[in-house]
Amino acid sequence: QNAIYCYTQAARILTPEMADEAWGNLHVNLGMAYLGLSSEESSSQQEVQTLTTQAIESFQKVLTPQTSPELQAHAQINLGDAYFYMDQLEEAIGYYQQALTFYRREVDPVTWAALQTNLGVAYARSPGQQPFADARTKQKRYDVQKSILHYQAALEVFTLDTFPEKYRRIQLTLGDMASEKARWSEAQQAYQQA
C-alpha cells in the first residue's frame, strides 16, 4: 500500500512528456504494486477485481509510441498476467503474443521461454478454472494442442541441464495432459523425463 501511495504521488508530478522512460517505468511499477496487493490472501474477491483493474489501467498507459519497445513488451507481459488472473484468457494470450514480437528467442531466450510457458498455461486452462488449478481435473481444456506446442517450445530453452526445475514442471504438466487424453506412452515418457 505504501508503494502504491508513493507511485501515485509521483505520477501526479511526472508526465509522459517530462521523462518517457521514467514515466513508463513508474506505471509498470505501479501496476506491479496493484497486482502484488491483489494477490494477498486477505483481499476479498471484489478487492482483487478492483486492484487488478487498476493494474491493467496502469500497464496500458505504457503502451504509447513514446515508450521504448522493451518497456512496452514488459507491460504486455504484465497485462497478460493480469488478464489471466481475471480469467480473460483471450486477452491474456493476445498480450503474451504481442510481447513475443519483442522477446524473440534470439534476443532473450529465457524471457521467450517464459512467455511460451505462459501461453502453454493459458491455452491449457479452461475459462472459469482457478489459476494454476490441478491439471488432472476433468474440466475441458481450452486448446490442448496449442498448449503442448508452447510447452514444447519452452523446453528448447528450459532444458534439464540449464533449468531443471522448470524442465521437470513442464514435463509433469505434459504428462498430465497426455494422461487426460489416454495417451499413455506420451504420458509415461513425459513423467520419466520429469
Side-chain angles (χ1 to χ4, degrees):
Q1 288 177 335
N2 289 337
I4 290 173
Y5 174 78
C6 292
Y7 288 132
T8 304
Q9 292 303 311
R12 292 181 181 172
I13 299 167
L14 198 60
T15 65
E17 298 78 27
M18 291 171 60
D20 298 335
E21 289 304 299
W23 182 84
N25 280 316
L26 169 85
H27 284 284
V28 166
N29 291 333
L30 178 58
M32 295 293 291
Y34 281 127
L35 277 185
L37 192 57
S38 74
S39 66
E40 290 185 2
E41 288 184 23
S42 60
S43 298
S44 71
Q45 188 61 30
Q46 181 60 40
E47 289 172 323
V48 169
Q49 182 89 14
T50 300
L51 290 166
T52 306
T53 299
Q54 290 172 311
I56 288 170
E57 290 169 0
S58 189
F59 294 138
Q60 286 175 334
K61 289 179 181 178
V62 180
L63 304 180
T64 67
Q66 295 81 17
T67 308
S68 73
E70 182 176 11
L71 192 55
Q72 287 186 48
H74 188 63
Q76 289 163 341
I77 293 170
N78 291 317
L79 280 162
D81 292 345
Y83 279 113
F84 179 84
Y85 290 122
M86 290 185 70
D87 202 30
Q88 296 179 21
L89 301 179
E90 288 292 329
E91 290 84 353
I93 289 167
Y95 280 112
Y96 290 145
Q97 289 173 334
Q98 285 178 32
L100 278 173
T101 62
F102 179 81
Y103 289 112
R104 297 180 312 280
R105 183 177 178 185
E106 60 274 7
V107 173
D108 185 341
V110 174
T111 303
W112 176 85
L115 280 163
Q116 295 294 339
T117 303
N118 289 357
L119 285 162
V121 172
Y123 277 119
R125 185 153 157 236
S126 301
Q129 183 182 6
Q130 290 299 312
F132 308 111
D134 189 336
R136 293 164 281 211
T137 60
K138 298 296 178 195
Q139 296 182 348
K140 181 180 178 291
R141 297 223 179 253
Y142 188 62
D143 191 328
V144 175
Q145 278 313 112
K146 285 184 180 178
S147 176
I148 290 169
L149 289 173
H150 286 289
Y151 278 128
Q152 288 172 338
L155 288 173
E156 295 172 16
V157 174
F158 294 153
T159 66
L160 185 57
D161 292 332
T162 58
F163 295 93
E165 185 177 327
K166 291 177 189 289
Y167 175 85
R168 288 185 174 105
R169 195 174 302 142
I170 291 170
Q171 289 291 3
L172 284 172
T173 301
L174 288 171
D176 289 345
M177 293 169 78
S179 178
E180 270 186 20
K181 297 294 183 185
R183 295 186 204 153
W184 307 119
S185 62
E186 289 177 36
Q188 181 182 9
Q189 182 181 1
Y191 289 138
Q192 286 173 341
Q193 294 291 322

